[in-house]
């Protein structure tokens, strides 16, 4: 009873009347909703303040684009992205981009060795990296914000003033040879299969050209070849200086200081051999026989920019993974490849959907693997899944795929280096950047008819197939093509007198 009497007194007089400071004085009897005396009025974040932190873009007089996104913190990520990659090597020996990636941040006009560069960055808590893809080369540095001037100076030197010494090129040859050997021996075949499927889909052109240097070209690439390539592709109009975590005006000032009038070591003669080819999808098959289990990679094509978001949603809807994956809906257990393939066929090792997107083309792939003796059945299961993509998507599975895609997008963009790459790539290819909330709106607007439309159009093109392993039971390309042209995705029946 005393507890109830106590509570009634609290209600009558207020809790503050019963609380005291350590010196015995009572707390003031102030309502929690009233502002505290002597404390400034709080300013709350709102959606309307979002435009202050959008991506800002400035184009310098020489054509260089400077893009930034402010993200408060002690560190920033800054880098130079170049519209240059393996797809631009049609007039050169394949493998130049692979060499450039390995040679990045070596000795320059200002720094005598890679060690000097690393020691300079270490003073600002920084690290550096260079990555090349089929269409982009990216030099990036993460460091303290107060070291921005040093970072941009270093980037300018690394991109425009590399020494490319003979011993550095020779060390790069050794590194490339080792990577090529490792590529063929590693247990995970995905990098090799990705190379094969691009070679099959775009035979001999643009994104179908090899991303890794062919063994025969390792000794052909020297300083003269590299300078010839860099002279054509490393020009300001094909570059973006992107930064995340810094003020835009500060980045523009550094760009003017170190990149506006910078003279590259290979000279500034007129650009003559820039490859502006548009990706030409061909379809076809690439096979590599090995002692490993079979890996089948089936792929189809899309080139319309407005179809990118529906294909990304379709990719999430297909999902899939390995047969030993564990977890709930967040791991994709309700995707089609889990429900229709892995749950029903215990002998399947893997069935995963992939989406490769480029400025002028794209691939939607299903990667599947199984015991070599069951390859034919596996191929038929995958072709049936491609055909069933054109069926009407259920409302629940479509909403789940869209929600999962938005969740993945927003989760990835929590990382500063990911924001940097997103800013740089979008500005490099389109000259502007779609913000995350704009992409989420586009994802939300995807309908079942959009999925059916892009899938129907995709199925009209020839398939691209890559197969690795024991290929004894692999159906012919003509039979795979016939299955993808049928109503049910079944392979033509084969009758054998002997097994």
């Amino acid at each position: 009873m005393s507890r109830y009497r106590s509570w009634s007194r609290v209600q009558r007089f207020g809790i503050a009347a019963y609380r005291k400071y350590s010196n015995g004085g009572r707390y003031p009897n102030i309502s929690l909703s009233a502002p505290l005396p002597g404390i400034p009025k709080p300013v709350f974040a709102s959606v309307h303040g979002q435009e202050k932190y959008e991506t800002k873009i400035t184009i310098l007089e020489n054509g260089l684009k400077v893009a930034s996104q402010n993200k408060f913190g002690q560190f920033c990520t800054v880098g130079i992205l170049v519209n240059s990659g393996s797809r631009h090597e049609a007039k050169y020996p394949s493998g130049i981009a692979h060499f450039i990636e390995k040679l990045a941040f070596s000795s320059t006009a200002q720094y005598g060795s890679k060690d000097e560069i690393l020691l300079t960055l270490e003073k600002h808590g920084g690290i550096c990296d260079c990555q090349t893809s089929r269409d982009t080369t990216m030099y990036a540095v993460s460091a303290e914000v107060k070291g921005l001037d040093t970072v941009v100076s270093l980037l300018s030197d690394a991109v425009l003033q590399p020494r490319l010494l003979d011993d550095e090129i020779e060390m790069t040859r050794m590194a490339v040879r080792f990577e090529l050997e490792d590529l063929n021996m590693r247990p995970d075949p995905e990098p090799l299969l990705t190379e094969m499927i691009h070679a099959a889909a775009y035979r001999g052109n643009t994104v179908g050209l090899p991303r890794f240097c062919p063994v025969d070209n390792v000794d052909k690439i020297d300083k003269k070849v590299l300078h010839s390539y860099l002279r054509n592709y490393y020009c300001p109009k094909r570059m973006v200086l992107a930064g995340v975590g810094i003020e835009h005006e500060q980045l523009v000032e550094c760009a003017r200081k170190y990149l506006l009038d910078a003279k590259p070591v290979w000279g500034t003669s007129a650009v003559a051999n820039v490859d502006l080819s548009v990706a030409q999808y061909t379809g076809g098959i690439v096979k590599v026989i090995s002692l490993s289990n079979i890996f089948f990679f089936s792929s189809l094509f899309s080139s319309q920019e407005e179809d990118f978001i529906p294909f990304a949603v379709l990719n999430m809807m297909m999902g899939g993974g390995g047969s030993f994956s564990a977890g709930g809906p967040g791991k994709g257990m309700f995707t089609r490849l889990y429900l229709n393939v892995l749950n029903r066929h215990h002998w399947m090792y893997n069935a995963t959907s992939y989406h490769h997107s480029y400025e002028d083309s794209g691939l939607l792939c299903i990667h599947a693997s199984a015991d070599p003796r069951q390859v034919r059945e596996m191929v038929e299961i995958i072709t049936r899944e491609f055909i069933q993509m054109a069926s009407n998507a259920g409302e629940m599975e479509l909403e789940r795929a869209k929600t999962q895609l938005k969740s993945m997008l927003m989760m990835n963009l929590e990382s500063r280096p990911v924001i940097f790459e997103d800013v740089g790539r979008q500005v490099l290819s389109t000259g502007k950047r779609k913000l995350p909330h704009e992409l989420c709106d586009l994802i939300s607007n995807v309908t079942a008819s959009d999925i059916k439309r892009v899938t129907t159009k995709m199925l009209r093109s020839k398939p691209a197939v890559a197969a690795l392993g024991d290929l004894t039971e692999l159906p012919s390309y003509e039979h795979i093509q016939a299955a993808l042209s049928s109503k049910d995705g079944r392979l033509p029946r084969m009758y054998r007198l002997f097994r």
Side-chain angles (χ1 to χ4, degrees):
M1 290 298 293
S2 60
R3 183 168 54 184
Y4 294 113
R5 282 200 299 271
S6 174
W7 174 243
S8 67
R9 294 186 65 188
V10 168
Q11 288 178 312
R12 199 167 37 187
F13 298 109
I15 294 175
Y18 283 86
R19 301 185 67 187
K20 297 181 179 180
Y21 292 111
S22 58
N23 62 7
R26 287 187 174 183
Y27 286 162
N29 192 6
I30 299 174
S31 169
L32 293 177
S33 60
L36 297 173
I39 303 295
K41 187 178 179 180
V43 179
F44 297 100
S46 66
V47 176
H48 300 295
Q50 183 173 353
E51 62 271 8
K52 296 179 182 177
Y53 315 112
E54 288 184 0
T55 303
K56 296 181 180 179
I57 302 170
T58 299
I59 302 177
L60 301 186
E61 290 81 353
N62 61 356
L64 176 77
K65 297 182 183 72
V66 182
S68 72
Q69 174 102 14
N70 206 346
K71 186 177 174 67
F72 300 104
Q74 184 181 355
F75 283 80
C76 63
T77 300
V78 182
I80 294 177
L81 291 90
V82 189
N83 187 7
S84 159
S86 59
R87 69 171 294 166
H88 301 108
E89 295 173 358
K91 300 175 184 177
Y92 296 89
S94 288
I96 292 177
H98 194 183
F99 263 69
I100 289 173
E101 180 181 87
K102 302 298 180 190
L103 284 164
F105 296 105
S106 296
S107 64
T108 67
Q110 186 178 344
Y111 299 94
S113 66
K114 179 172 284 191
D115 289 340
E116 280 190 37
I117 290 177
L118 296 178
L119 285 171
T120 302
L121 288 176
E122 192 177 324
K123 296 174 185 176
H124 301 285
I127 56 173
C128 61
D129 188 28
C130 178
Q131 295 180 4
T132 59
S133 63
R134 288 184 154 76
D135 52 6
T136 309
T137 300
M138 180 173 65
Y139 299 78
V141 173
S142 287
E144 288 181 312
V145 176
K146 61 185 180 183
L148 179 64
D149 190 86
T150 302
V151 166
V152 177
S153 170
L154 190 152
L155 282 166
S156 173
D157 223 41
V159 175
L160 300 176
Q161 297 285 332
R163 287 182 178 176
L164 304 180
L165 301 175
D166 290 341
D167 58 339
E168 292 173 342
I169 293 176
E170 192 56 43
M171 287 293 291
T172 299
R173 290 194 179 110
M174 292 173 61
V176 168
R177 287 193 184 99
F178 176 81
E179 192 167 341
L180 293 175
E181 290 178 14
D182 179 66
L183 186 68
N184 291 307
M185 292 191 299
R186 64 170 61 185
D188 175 22
E190 188 179 323
L192 186 57
L193 280 168
T194 302
E195 282 295 289
M196 292 167 62
I197 198 62
H198 279 82
Y202 306 92
R203 192 172 293 273
N205 76 90
T206 57
V207 292
L209 298 175
R211 193 174 78 83
F212 297 101
C213 180
V215 176
D216 295 340
N217 288 354
V218 173
D219 291 322
K220 296 178 182 177
I221 298 174
D222 55 19
K223 186 174 182 177
K224 182 180 179 181
V225 172
L226 291 168
H227 274 190
S228 173
Y229 178 87
L230 294 168
R231 187 177 298 113
N232 286 308
Y233 289 97
Y234 276 48
C235 56
K237 291 182 180 179
R238 300 178 65 87
M239 293 183 183
V240 170
L241 174 66
V244 175
I246 34 81
E247 293 287 345
H248 184 71
E249 292 72 20
Q250 190 180 0
L251 186 62
V252 172
E253 183 182 342
C254 290
R256 290 186 180 280
K257 184 177 179 182
Y258 296 110
L259 290 163
L260 183 59
D261 297 316
K263 304 298 181 188
V265 69
W266 46 84
T268 55
S269 59
V271 174
N273 290 313
V274 174
D275 185 7
L276 301 176
S277 303
V278 176
Q280 301 294 321
Y281 180 85
T282 61
I285 186 168
V286 172
K287 297 187 285 188
V288 174
I289 298 173
S290 72
L291 298 177
S292 64
N293 289 332
I294 175 69
F295 293 88
F296 169 81
F297 216 92
S298 182
S299 169
L300 292 154
F301 166 75
S302 164
S303 65
Q304 301 298 319
E305 183 182 354
E306 62 269 20
D307 292 343
F308 168 72
I309 297 293
F311 266 104
V313 174
L314 175 61
N315 182 57
M316 295 302 298
M317 193 185 303
M318 297 306 296
S323 58
F324 296 105
S325 293
K331 292 292 294 292
M333 290 298 189
F334 287 97
T335 59
R336 288 191 181 184
L337 291 178
Y338 262 115
L339 294 174
N340 301 341
V341 178
L342 295 171
N343 286 354
R344 297 184 182 182
H345 307 284
H346 63 88
W347 44 268
M348 291 277 285
Y349 299 154
N350 187 299
T352 310
S353 178
Y354 291 94
H355 185 208
H356 301 280
S357 181
Y358 303 99
E359 185 179 348
D360 53 358
S361 188
L363 291 171
L364 182 74
C365 317
I366 294 180
H367 169 196
S369 57
D371 186 278
R373 292 167 297 182
Q374 293 174 298
V375 167
R376 184 177 179 83
E377 187 177 355
M378 178 192 70
V379 171
E380 186 170 81
I381 290 168
I382 298 305
T383 54
R384 288 211 309 262
E385 286 304 308
F386 269 112
I387 296 297
Q388 289 171 13
M389 284 183 193
S391 61
N392 287 325
E395 182 179 351
M396 186 178 292
E397 73 166 342
L398 180 59
E399 287 303 315
R400 182 186 289 117
K402 292 196 289 186
T403 302
Q404 195 171 353
L405 181 59
K406 286 187 280 188
S407 172
M408 182 181 294
L409 171 69
M410 300 308 293
M411 192 161 50
N412 285 335
L413 289 175
E414 287 291 315
S415 167
R416 189 182 62 250
V418 174
I419 299 174
F420 157 76
E421 186 172 350
D422 182 52
V423 169
R425 285 183 180 276
Q426 286 200 50
V427 174
L428 188 66
S429 61
T430 66
K432 57 185 179 181
R433 183 193 180 215
K434 280 190 172 73
L435 294 173
H437 72 272
E438 295 178 276
L439 292 172
C440 286
D441 290 342
L442 291 172
I443 293 168
S444 297
N445 293 334
V446 173
T447 63
S449 61
D450 291 326
I451 300 294
K452 187 168 185 176
R453 173 178 57 81
V454 297
T455 303
T456 303
K457 184 167 62 175
M458 177 181 70
L459 288 168
R460 293 197 192 108
S461 57
K462 291 174 62 178
V465 181
L468 169 67
D470 182 347
L471 309 182
T472 308
E473 297 296 320
L474 181 71
S476 67
Y477 178 76
E478 290 73 23
H479 282 188
I480 296 173
Q481 192 171 5
L484 287 168
S485 302
S486 66
K487 293 182 179 180
D488 57 5
R490 293 186 178 276
L491 291 165
R493 299 299 95 188
M494 292 182 64
Y495 302 96
R496 297 180 182 178
L497 294 176
F498 304 100
R499 283 194 176 271

